[in-house]
Amino acid sequence: MSPAFVLEVQTSREEEELVESHEYHDGVKHLCERGLAKVPRKYILPALERPFMSKKDGATNLKLPVIDLAKLQGPDRVHTLKSLSKACEEYGFFQLINHGIASESVLNMFQAARKFFELPFEERSKYMSKDQSAPVRYGTSFNQNKDSVFCWRDFLKLSCHPLSDVLPNWPSSPAELRQAVVNYSKETKSLYLMLVKAVLESLGVVEKAENADENDSCDHLKEFEDGSQLIVANFYPSCPEPDLTLGMPPHSDYGFLTLLLPDEEVKGLQIQHEGRWVTVEPIPNSFVVNVGDHLEIFSNGRYSSVLHRVLVNPFKSRMSIASLHSLPFNSMIRPSPKLISDANPRRYMDTDFASFIGYMASHEHKNKNFLESRRLTQQG
């Protein structure tokens, strides 16, 4: 084979990869719409990072601790707070039942999101942006600007606070999307605030309900009421070779709490528990709630954000809706002074959203790398 021919073939491959690389940024769904029999190389994980590198991974379904919101509002509150604390300490996740959000609101949110992903690519692509703080952003992978291997996911992210400011930027198609998200975001924000109050009580930051100073409780909750909210619709197309890739790689969530509506028909969410990956068994009509990095910082490490990832399915597409909540974008996140002592010194430095956005823009998001960058080195 002549050197000239080798050079020609190499150049042709480089040009082909460059074209493909651009196409990957258009999203997995766009690739699948053109027909795929194999997973492109850009999505293939290194062997040790693949989802089923051993038979034990993914072989076990996990029933998360269950928290009944109705019991948090009744005479069983103290007992339920203890269960909440245990779930946050031992799992970092729990399932929330009797949450009070109407099934119609949940159904409308799912249907509107699915219709968005069914729009022609030209319509979806209007909302593509590299600006991670944009009020609306359609994209793919995890951080498509930095990911060395792309993940099998497309997303629509909608900033929800303040609604009056961000609403005009949201997609106007499908026609029902804006109203469905407005209704859903209001309901999940109310639910989040109820959970925050319970979390603060479980940590001892505010006193139990029967002994609480109302003003003290209100002061602590006020900073959360004006907090950030981001709704993310995740779409995972069916995948011809699911053993080679992931819908989302192992990561922790950056906020305070995440309220997730999982796909009840197609399982895929896995959490790392006791050193192994286990698949979450969803309960119908419930939320999967997890501790975020900001709550780990606020609790000074008592409650831990836990690594989780998403498997993809060879036969069916999968959807989930995440509502991510935290303090306002301009707030500093720091350990609560009430949770710092000589016996339990401060473990994390102050941080804010600007630091997070800057870190994410310049780093590939892996595991809990942002949170680790905030951790203080303990002496002695």
Side-chain angles (χ1 to χ4, degrees):
M1 187 180 295
S2 70
F5 181 75
V6 172
L7 180 60
E8 183 180 337
V9 170
Q10 182 177 342
T11 302
S12 175
R13 285 177 179 171
E14 288 174 352
E15 290 175 349
E16 183 180 331
E17 287 178 6
L18 186 63
V19 171
E20 287 180 349
S21 178
H22 175 74
E23 291 174 349
Y24 300 147
H25 285 261
D26 290 341
V28 186
K29 190 171 190 296
H30 186 52
L31 279 177
C32 292
E33 287 168 346
R34 299 170 55 193
L36 279 180
K38 298 183 70 176
V39 171
R41 183 165 47 184
K42 183 67 176 177
Y43 297 86
I44 297 177
L45 290 162
L48 293 179
E49 296 178 23
R50 293 175 192 172
F52 301 109
M53 55 178 260
S54 67
K55 292 183 178 180
K56 69 175 184 178
D57 283 335
T60 303
N61 289 346
L62 176 68
K63 292 184 178 179
L64 293 172
V66 176
I67 302 299
D68 188 336
L69 186 68
K71 291 184 177 180
L72 271 175
Q73 299 169 311
D76 289 334
R77 183 175 179 85
V78 173
H79 175 74
T80 308
L81 285 171
K82 290 179 181 178
S83 298
L84 174 65
S85 181
K86 185 176 181 181
C88 291
E89 288 179 358
E90 296 182 5
Y91 290 83
F93 275 78
F94 59 88
Q95 297 208 61
L96 186 72
I97 62 172
N98 293 327
H99 47 73
I101 294 182
S103 57
E104 181 182 10
S105 180
V106 170
L107 181 62
N108 289 343
M109 182 66 236
F110 263 116
Q111 288 181 338
R114 187 170 291 279
K115 285 183 179 180
F116 174 83
F117 288 110
E118 291 171 351
L119 292 172
F121 172 72
E122 291 72 23
E123 186 67 24
R124 301 194 308 268
S125 64
K126 292 178 183 178
Y127 304 98
M128 285 185 163
S129 172
K130 292 183 179 180
D131 180 5
Q132 297 203 27
S133 59
V136 54
R137 191 159 71 95
Y138 175 62
T140 190
S141 196
F142 202 105
N143 179 354
Q144 65 196 74
N145 302 315
K146 289 292 176 183
D147 293 346
S148 56
V149 177
F150 275 19
C151 53
W152 203 261
R153 171 186 81 136
D154 289 351
F155 62 79
L156 175 66
K157 294 185 178 182
L158 299 172
S159 178
C160 298
H161 187 80
L163 278 171
S164 58
D165 290 352
V166 297
L167 184 58
N169 298 294
W170 290 358
S172 55
S173 182
E176 61 267 44
L177 179 69
R178 289 186 178 183
Q179 193 57 56
V181 178
V182 165
N183 294 342
Y184 182 76
S185 67
K186 288 180 178 178
E187 291 186 275
T188 49
K189 182 62 175 286
S190 296
L191 177 59
Y192 162 70
L193 291 173
M194 284 190 276
L195 285 174
V196 163
K197 185 175 181 181
V199 165
L200 295 180
E201 286 185 34
S202 72
L203 286 168
V205 173
V206 298
E207 293 186 38
K208 298 293 189 290
E210 65 268 22
N211 302 320
D213 181 324
E214 187 173 340
N215 291 329
D216 179 59
S217 180
C218 288
D219 286 344
H220 277 90
L221 284 173
K222 190 173 182 181
E223 58 184 335
F224 290 95
E225 290 173 357
D226 196 38
S228 64
Q229 179 180 16
L230 184 69
I231 286 183
V232 184
N234 298 300
F235 183 77
Y236 308 96
S238 58
C239 178
E241 297 176 292
D243 290 3
L244 300 180
T245 189
L246 282 167
M248 288 183 76
H251 68 284
S252 58
D253 291 349
Y254 70 86
F256 203 82
L257 286 175
T258 298
L259 281 62
L260 178 76
L261 282 175
D263 192 318
E264 294 181 3
E265 296 182 2
V266 185
K267 290 182 287 189
L269 175 64
Q270 290 193 320
I271 72 169
Q272 197 169 74
H273 182 64
E274 296 180 346
R276 63 184 301 185
W277 289 105
V278 288
T279 302
V280 171
E281 187 75 45
I283 298 174
N285 304 315
S286 71
F287 281 91
V288 174
V289 182
N290 64 279
V291 172
D293 291 347
H294 290 175
L295 178 49
E296 178 167 335
I297 292 172
F298 180 86
S299 69
N300 203 32
R302 179 173 164 187
Y303 294 169
S304 179
S305 60
V306 169
L307 289 178
H308 50 289
R309 67 183 189 182
V310 178
L311 305 180
V312 288
N313 190 286
F315 308 111
K316 297 180 179 179
S317 63
R318 183 176 180 274
M319 268 193 63
S320 66
I321 309 290
S323 187
L324 293 90
H325 300 262
S326 196
L327 295 169
F329 282 115
N330 58 356
S331 292
M332 295 300 295
I333 313 296
R334 55 174 60 92
S336 170
K338 292 189 176 182
L339 302 176
I340 297 173
S341 65
D342 291 340
N344 187 32
R346 172 191 269 257
R347 299 182 182 182
Y348 305 90
M349 65 180 75
D350 291 359
T351 191
D352 57 14
F353 277 99
S355 301
F356 171 75
I357 294 296
Y359 190 94
M360 290 297 98
S362 58
H363 293 74
E364 187 172 1
H365 192 111
K366 284 190 173 182
N367 300 318
K368 295 175 66 169
N369 56 352
F370 173 71
L371 185 67
E372 292 304 319
S373 75
R374 304 290 95 190
R375 192 183 297 275
L376 295 170
T377 301
Q378 298 296 324
Q379 302 297 322

